[in-house]
């Protein structure tokens, strides 16, 4: 069941570009994915015909806009297996969703000495909000380490989780590609009495996910990594948690009543949606999910696993031990994020050479500096694969890397 | 790859492959100052020995890309043995060279008048001019210089 990549690529106008006479090779989808025509059309069509603010006007287009906005919520909620749309609050992005949990649930439920468990492979978005809470409330952070295969080292898991109030863990590393066993981690956290927040930003675009099967308490995701627009993300949480949580931001929409002496909050999820939301972006996100579901997330994942296997083999065949790959060597529980480094060439310099050949990769710490410190490196280059990439893209990467290696050779020959 | 050769001039690659003044100085008497590029994780650690208004010695530690490492190496060669005032003038001249994009992003030292900088000879440093064509790399080239200014300010304010 292989995907018809030529047909998929035709849906992404940006990928048809050339730079410096080279076909554009986009290998930075882990940072942000490109957008299919259907997403752009949905957003344009909505603005041309139905745009109005939501949950306010009684006129026809306002009703239509509200209905479509709420339909988009239902689409996102369905995509992640939520029990009901009311469990899904739109946010600006996954980062804001984690901040929402830290601010609202965290400040209500965590006190000095309480433990939040993170992992060494978290993105800054799932670290800094907890550092901020630690500074404010004196909570303790514990870290699940990674092992030599770049997977979570679960040797002391029960000890680490002992007495913890929350485990906040990514479903898939944005640096290593490692896919974590969330159901197992949730079971371990539950038996320690901890709640679980899953950062699904990197997993949701690439794998079928099901928050109920995970049995998690919170999950966050963002539209722009899954073919949707930037500026919108979501927090999913079990309804009883959302209902017990105080609001995050105050303003319009999130209230039921406001008086001179106070306010009462709206129902969930609107309680967490102060101010006019990203309406057109929600429509775009819905269209992005329709596109992904039209292909099927199992097929997307299968394609990426095959392509990752191809890339890992090709990199090994060409460079062997001259290139270090920071991520699992097998494609079991691994996504299409490939971080690599020539030990003597800085990731920025490699990316610069690749850019000359229109190969777009990310270079840097990938918003995971604690992980970089564990790996004892300042940065990596990172190629990330998606449904529109094929073996030609991987081959272009490898050609570019041979040029980078030659260009920066310590002893040019 | 003509574009790349604008950026990676031979003199830059030479400083990258054989960086000058690598090492450490004892603190004190030397002053230690660190600079970070939060975008890419590059880090430069300068050890500055300033006596009687002279930068008598400079040593460099840290890690980064070829542009940041070469710029740091070239900076050390340019200011070592100069007076603090001369080091500051060279810094302003270098940052003016980079100023097309840098002026809006923390380049508080680039307001010097052209007269001020007339006659400042940058020599090898001019090889870094090609960086301006690659805006995201300007911060790589200016990291060492911003760190130098920070270090000189710290030394002067402690006196």
């Amino acid at each position: 069941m292989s995907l018809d990549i030529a047909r998929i690529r035709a849906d992404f106008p940006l990928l048809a570009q050339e730079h410096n006479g080279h076909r554009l090779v986009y290998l930075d989808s882990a940072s942000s994915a490109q957008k299919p025509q259907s997403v752009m059309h949905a957003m344009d069509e909505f603005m041309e015909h139905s745009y109005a603010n939501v949950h306010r006007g009684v006129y026809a287009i306002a009703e239509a806009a509200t209905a479509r906005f709420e339909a988009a919520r239902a689409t996102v909620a369905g995509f992640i297996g939520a029990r009901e749309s009311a469990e899904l609050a739109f946010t600006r992005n996954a980062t804001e969703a984690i901040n929402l949990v830290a601010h609202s649930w965290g400040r209500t439920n965590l006190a000095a000495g309480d433990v939040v468990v993170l992992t060494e492979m978290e993105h800054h978005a799932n670290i800094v909000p907890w550092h901020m809470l630690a500074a404010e409330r004196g909570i303790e952070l514990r870290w699940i380490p990674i092992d030599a295969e770049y997977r979570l080292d679960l040797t002391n898991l029960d000890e680490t989780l002992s007495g913890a109030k929350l485990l906040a863990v990514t479903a898939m590393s944005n640096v290593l590609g490692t896919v974590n066993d969330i159901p197992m981690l949730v079971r371990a956290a539950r038996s320690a009495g901890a709640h679980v927040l899953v950062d699904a930003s990197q997993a949701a675009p690439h794998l079928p996910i099901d928050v109920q099967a995970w049995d998690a308490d919170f999950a966050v995701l963002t539209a722009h990594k899954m073919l949707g627009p930037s500026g919108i993300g979501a927090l999913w949480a079990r309804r009883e948690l959302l209902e017990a949580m105080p609001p995050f931001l105050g303003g319009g929409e999130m209230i039921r009543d406001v008086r001179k002496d106070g306010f009462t909050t709206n129902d969930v999820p609107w309680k967490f949606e102060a101010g006019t939301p990203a309406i057109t972006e929600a429509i775009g996100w819905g269209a992005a999910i329709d596109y992904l579901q039209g292909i099927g997330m199992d097929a997307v994942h299968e394609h990426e696993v095959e392509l990752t296997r191809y890339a890992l083999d090709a990199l090994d065949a060409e460079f062997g031990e001259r290139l270090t790959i920071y991520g699992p060597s097998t494609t079991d529980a691994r996504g299409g994020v490939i971080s690599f480094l020539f030990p003597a060439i800085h990731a920025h310099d490699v990316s610069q050479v690749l850019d000359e050949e229109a190969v777009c990769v990310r270079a840097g710490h990938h918003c995971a500096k604690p992980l970089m410190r564990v790996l004892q490196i300042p940065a990596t280059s990172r190629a990330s694969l998606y449904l529109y990439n094929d073996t030609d893209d991987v081959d272009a990467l490898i050609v570019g890397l041979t040029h980078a290696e030659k260009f920066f050779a310590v002893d040019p020959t | 790859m003509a574009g790349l050769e604008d950026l990676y001039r031979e003199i830059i690659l030479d400083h990258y492959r054989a960086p000058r003044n690598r090492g450490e100085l004892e603190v004190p008497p030397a002053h230690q100052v660190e600079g970070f590029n939060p975008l890419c994780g590059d880090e430069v650690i300068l050890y500055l020995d300033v006596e009687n208004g002279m930068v008598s010695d400079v040593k460099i530690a840290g890690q980064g890309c070829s542009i940041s490492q070469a710029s740091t190496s070239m900076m050390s060669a340019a200011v070592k043995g100069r007076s603090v005032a001369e080091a500051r003038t060279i810094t302003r001249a270098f940052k003016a060279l980079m100023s097309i994009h840098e002026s809006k992003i923390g380049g508080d030292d680039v307001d010097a008048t052209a007269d001020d900088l007339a006659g400042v000879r940058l020599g090898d440093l001019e090889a870094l001019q090609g960086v301006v064509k690659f805006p995201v790399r300007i911060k790589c080239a200016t990291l060492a210089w911003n760190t130098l200014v920070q270090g000189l300010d710290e030394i002067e304010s402690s006196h």
Side-chain angles (χ1 to χ4, degrees), chain A residues 321-332:
Chain A
E321 293 189 347
R322 303 201 306 285
L323 188 81
T324 308
I325 293 183
Y326 294 93
S329 54
T330 70
T331 49
D332 303 329

mmCIF file with all atom_site columns, all heavy atoms in Angstrom, chain A residues 321-332:
data_model
loop_
_atom_site.group_PDB
_atom_site.id
_atom_site.type_symbol
_atom_site.label_atom_id
_atom_site.label_alt_id
_atom_site.label_comp_id
_atom_site.label_asym_id
_atom_site.label_entity_id
_atom_site.label_seq_id
_atom_site.pdbx_PDB_ins_code
_atom_site.Cartn_x
_atom_site.Cartn_y
_atom_site.Cartn_z
_atom_site.occupancy
_atom_site.B_iso_or_equiv
_atom_site.pdbx_formal_charge
_atom_site.auth_seq_id
_atom_site.auth_comp_id
_atom_site.auth_asym_id
_atom_site.auth_atom_id
_atom_site.pdbx_PDB_model_num
ATOM 1  N N   . GLU A 1 321 ? 30.518 5.513  9.582  1.00 0.00 ? 321 GLU A N   1
ATOM 2  C CA  . GLU A 1 321 ? 30.780 6.107  10.904 1.00 0.00 ? 321 GLU A CA  1
ATOM 3  C C   . GLU A 1 321 ? 31.222 7.559  10.822 1.00 0.00 ? 321 GLU A C   1
ATOM 4  O O   . GLU A 1 321 ? 31.420 8.192  11.860 1.00 0.00 ? 321 GLU A O   1
ATOM 5  C CB  . GLU A 1 321 ? 31.818 5.263  11.641 1.00 0.00 ? 321 GLU A CB  1
ATOM 6  C CG  . GLU A 1 321 ? 31.246 3.901  11.986 1.00 0.00 ? 321 GLU A CG  1
ATOM 7  C CD  . GLU A 1 321 ? 32.130 3.085  12.900 1.00 0.00 ? 321 GLU A CD  1
ATOM 8  O OE1 . GLU A 1 321 ? 33.304 3.475  13.076 1.00 0.00 ? 321 GLU A OE1 1
ATOM 9  O OE2 . GLU A 1 321 ? 31.644 2.071  13.406 1.00 0.00 ? 321 GLU A OE2 1
ATOM 10 N N   . ARG A 1 322 ? 31.386 8.092  9.604  1.00 0.00 ? 322 ARG A N   1
ATOM 11 C CA  . ARG A 1 322 ? 31.750 9.510  9.505  1.00 0.00 ? 322 ARG A CA  1
ATOM 12 C C   . ARG A 1 322 ? 30.579 10.422 9.883  1.00 0.00 ? 322 ARG A C   1
ATOM 13 O O   . ARG A 1 322 ? 30.771 11.596 10.156 1.00 0.00 ? 322 ARG A O   1
ATOM 14 C CB  . ARG A 1 322 ? 32.227 9.842  8.089  1.00 0.00 ? 322 ARG A CB  1
ATOM 15 C CG  . ARG A 1 322 ? 33.407 9.001  7.615  1.00 0.00 ? 322 ARG A CG  1
ATOM 16 C CD  . ARG A 1 322 ? 34.176 9.663  6.480  1.00 0.00 ? 322 ARG A CD  1
ATOM 17 N NE  . ARG A 1 322 ? 33.338 10.023 5.345  1.00 0.00 ? 322 ARG A NE  1
ATOM 18 C CZ  . ARG A 1 322 ? 32.835 9.167  4.444  1.00 0.00 ? 322 ARG A CZ  1
ATOM 19 N NH1 . ARG A 1 322 ? 33.062 7.865  4.565  1.00 0.00 ? 322 ARG A NH1 1
ATOM 20 N NH2 . ARG A 1 322 ? 32.113 9.599  3.441  1.00 0.00 ? 322 ARG A NH2 1
ATOM 21 N N   . LEU A 1 323 ? 29.389 9.863  9.870  1.00 0.00 ? 323 LEU A N   1
ATOM 22 C CA  . LEU A 1 323 ? 28.185 10.637 10.205 1.00 0.00 ? 323 LEU A CA  1
ATOM 23 C C   . LEU A 1 323 ? 27.514 9.982  11.413 1.00 0.00 ? 323 LEU A C   1
ATOM 24 O O   . LEU A 1 323 ? 27.260 8.778  11.400 1.00 0.00 ? 323 LEU A O   1
ATOM 25 C CB  . LEU A 1 323 ? 27.215 10.626 9.018  1.00 0.00 ? 323 LEU A CB  1
ATOM 26 C CG  . LEU A 1 323 ? 25.996 11.540 9.131  1.00 0.00 ? 323 LEU A CG  1
ATOM 27 C CD1 . LEU A 1 323 ? 26.380 12.973 8.770  1.00 0.00 ? 323 LEU A CD1 1
ATOM 28 C CD2 . LEU A 1 323 ? 24.887 11.067 8.201  1.00 0.00 ? 323 LEU A CD2 1
ATOM 29 N N   . THR A 1 324 ? 27.241 10.795 12.440 1.00 0.00 ? 324 THR A N   1
ATOM 30 C CA  . THR A 1 324 ? 26.546 10.253 13.609 1.00 0.00 ? 324 THR A CA  1
ATOM 31 C C   . THR A 1 324 ? 25.065 10.556 13.464 1.00 0.00 ? 324 THR A C   1
ATOM 32 O O   . THR A 1 324 ? 24.682 11.697 13.190 1.00 0.00 ? 324 THR A O   1
ATOM 33 C CB  . THR A 1 324 ? 27.069 10.918 14.904 1.00 0.00 ? 324 THR A CB  1
ATOM 34 O OG1 . THR A 1 324 ? 28.484 10.808 14.916 1.00 0.00 ? 324 THR A OG1 1
ATOM 35 C CG2 . THR A 1 324 ? 26.489 10.261 16.135 1.00 0.00 ? 324 THR A CG2 1
ATOM 36 N N   . ILE A 1 325 ? 24.246 9.524  13.657 1.00 0.00 ? 325 ILE A N   1
ATOM 37 C CA  . ILE A 1 325 ? 22.794 9.721  13.637 1.00 0.00 ? 325 ILE A CA  1
ATOM 38 C C   . ILE A 1 325 ? 22.288 9.643  15.066 1.00 0.00 ? 325 ILE A C   1
ATOM 39 O O   . ILE A 1 325 ? 22.561 8.664  15.778 1.00 0.00 ? 325 ILE A O   1
ATOM 40 C CB  . ILE A 1 325 ? 22.111 8.692  12.729 1.00 0.00 ? 325 ILE A CB  1
ATOM 41 C CG1 . ILE A 1 325 ? 22.540 8.990  11.293 1.00 0.00 ? 325 ILE A CG1 1
ATOM 42 C CG2 . ILE A 1 325 ? 20.586 8.742  12.887 1.00 0.00 ? 325 ILE A CG2 1
ATOM 43 C CD1 . ILE A 1 325 ? 21.936 8.161  10.235 1.00 0.00 ? 325 ILE A CD1 1
ATOM 44 N N   . TYR A 1 326 ? 21.598 10.701 15.488 1.00 0.00 ? 326 TYR A N   1
ATOM 45 C CA  . TYR A 1 326 ? 21.076 10.765 16.845 1.00 0.00 ? 326 TYR A CA  1
ATOM 46 C C   . TYR A 1 326 ? 19.624 10.334 16.835 1.00 0.00 ? 326 TYR A C   1
ATOM 47 O O   . TYR A 1 326 ? 18.724 11.159 16.704 1.00 0.00 ? 326 TYR A O   1
ATOM 48 C CB  . TYR A 1 326 ? 21.243 12.178 17.408 1.00 0.00 ? 326 TYR A CB  1
ATOM 49 C CG  . TYR A 1 326 ? 22.695 12.559 17.582 1.00 0.00 ? 326 TYR A CG  1
ATOM 50 C CD1 . TYR A 1 326 ? 23.389 13.231 16.576 1.00 0.00 ? 326 TYR A CD1 1
ATOM 51 C CD2 . TYR A 1 326 ? 23.386 12.198 18.734 1.00 0.00 ? 326 TYR A CD2 1
ATOM 52 C CE1 . TYR A 1 326 ? 24.729 13.552 16.722 1.00 0.00 ? 326 TYR A CE1 1
ATOM 53 C CE2 . TYR A 1 326 ? 24.729 12.515 18.887 1.00 0.00 ? 326 TYR A CE2 1
ATOM 54 C CZ  . TYR A 1 326 ? 25.391 13.191 17.877 1.00 0.00 ? 326 TYR A CZ  1
ATOM 55 O OH  . TYR A 1 326 ? 26.718 13.500 18.019 1.00 0.00 ? 326 TYR A OH  1
ATOM 56 N N   . GLY A 1 327 ? 19.433 9.021  16.934 1.00 0.00 ? 327 GLY A N   1
ATOM 57 C CA  . GLY A 1 327 ? 18.078 8.490  16.954 1.00 0.00 ? 327 GLY A CA  1
ATOM 58 C C   . GLY A 1 327 ? 18.153 6.980  16.835 1.00 0.00 ? 327 GLY A C   1
ATOM 59 O O   . GLY A 1 327 ? 19.216 6.427  16.494 1.00 0.00 ? 327 GLY A O   1
ATOM 60 N N   . PRO A 1 328 ? 17.040 6.296  17.105 1.00 0.00 ? 328 PRO A N   1
ATOM 61 C CA  . PRO A 1 328 ? 17.056 4.830  17.042 1.00 0.00 ? 328 PRO A CA  1
ATOM 62 C C   . PRO A 1 328 ? 17.511 4.332  15.676 1.00 0.00 ? 328 PRO A C   1
ATOM 63 O O   . PRO A 1 328 ? 17.193 4.943  14.649 1.00 0.00 ? 328 PRO A O   1
ATOM 64 C CB  . PRO A 1 328 ? 15.600 4.447  17.311 1.00 0.00 ? 328 PRO A CB  1
ATOM 65 C CG  . PRO A 1 328 ? 15.023 5.607  18.071 1.00 0.00 ? 328 PRO A CG  1
ATOM 66 C CD  . PRO A 1 328 ? 15.724 6.808  17.535 1.00 0.00 ? 328 PRO A CD  1
ATOM 67 N N   . SER A 1 329 ? 18.256 3.224  15.675 1.00 0.00 ? 329 SER A N   1
ATOM 68 C CA  . SER A 1 329 ? 18.772 2.695  14.413 1.00 0.00 ? 329 SER A CA  1
ATOM 69 C C   . SER A 1 329 ? 17.729 1.843  13.700 1.00 0.00 ? 329 SER A C   1
ATOM 70 O O   . SER A 1 329 ? 17.852 1.584  12.509 1.00 0.00 ? 329 SER A O   1
ATOM 71 C CB  . SER A 1 329 ? 20.041 1.882  14.669 1.00 0.00 ? 329 SER A CB  1
ATOM 72 O OG  . SER A 1 329 ? 19.772 0.887  15.635 1.00 0.00 ? 329 SER A OG  1
ATOM 73 N N   . THR A 1 330 ? 16.705 1.402  14.428 1.00 0.00 ? 330 THR A N   1
ATOM 74 C CA  . THR A 1 330 ? 15.644 0.633  13.779 1.00 0.00 ? 330 THR A CA  1
ATOM 75 C C   . THR A 1 330 ? 14.420 1.528  13.592 1.00 0.00 ? 330 THR A C   1
ATOM 76 O O   . THR A 1 330 ? 14.324 2.591  14.201 1.00 0.00 ? 330 THR A O   1
ATOM 77 C CB  . THR A 1 330 ? 15.218 -0.574 14.646 1.00 0.00 ? 330 THR A CB  1
ATOM 78 O OG1 . THR A 1 330 ? 14.524 -0.070 15.791 1.00 0.00 ? 330 THR A OG1 1
ATOM 79 C CG2 . THR A 1 330 ? 16.420 -1.384 15.083 1.00 0.00 ? 330 THR A CG2 1
ATOM 80 N N   . THR A 1 331 ? 13.499 1.072  12.732 1.00 0.00 ? 331 THR A N   1
ATOM 81 C CA  . THR A 1 331 ? 12.291 1.873  12.509 1.00 0.00 ? 331 THR A CA  1
ATOM 82 C C   . THR A 1 331 ? 11.132 1.408  13.390 1.00 0.00 ? 331 THR A C   1
ATOM 83 O O   . THR A 1 331 ? 10.010 1.856  13.212 1.00 0.00 ? 331 THR A O   1
ATOM 84 C CB  . THR A 1 331 ? 11.876 1.841  11.030 1.00 0.00 ? 331 THR A CB  1
ATOM 85 O OG1 . THR A 1 331 ? 11.867 0.485  10.584 1.00 0.00 ? 331 THR A OG1 1
ATOM 86 C CG2 . THR A 1 331 ? 12.811 2.665  10.183 1.00 0.00 ? 331 THR A CG2 1
ATOM 87 N N   . ASP A 1 332 ? 11.397 0.514  14.339 1.00 0.00 ? 332 ASP A N   1
ATOM 88 C CA  . ASP A 1 332 ? 10.346 0.166  15.300 1.00 0.00 ? 332 ASP A CA  1
ATOM 89 C C   . ASP A 1 332 ? 10.130 1.373  16.201 1.00 0.00 ? 332 ASP A C   1
ATOM 90 O O   . ASP A 1 332 ? 11.090 1.918  16.749 1.00 0.00 ? 332 ASP A O   1
ATOM 91 C CB  . ASP A 1 332 ? 10.773 -1.007 16.193 1.00 0.00 ? 332 ASP A CB  1
ATOM 92 C CG  . ASP A 1 332 ? 11.138 -2.231 15.359 1.00 0.00 ? 332 ASP A CG  1
ATOM 93 O OD1 . ASP A 1 332 ? 10.541 -2.398 14.285 1.00 0.00 ? 332 ASP A OD1 1
ATOM 94 O OD2 . ASP A 1 332 ? 12.028 -2.991 15.788 1.00 0.00 ? 332 ASP A OD2 1
#
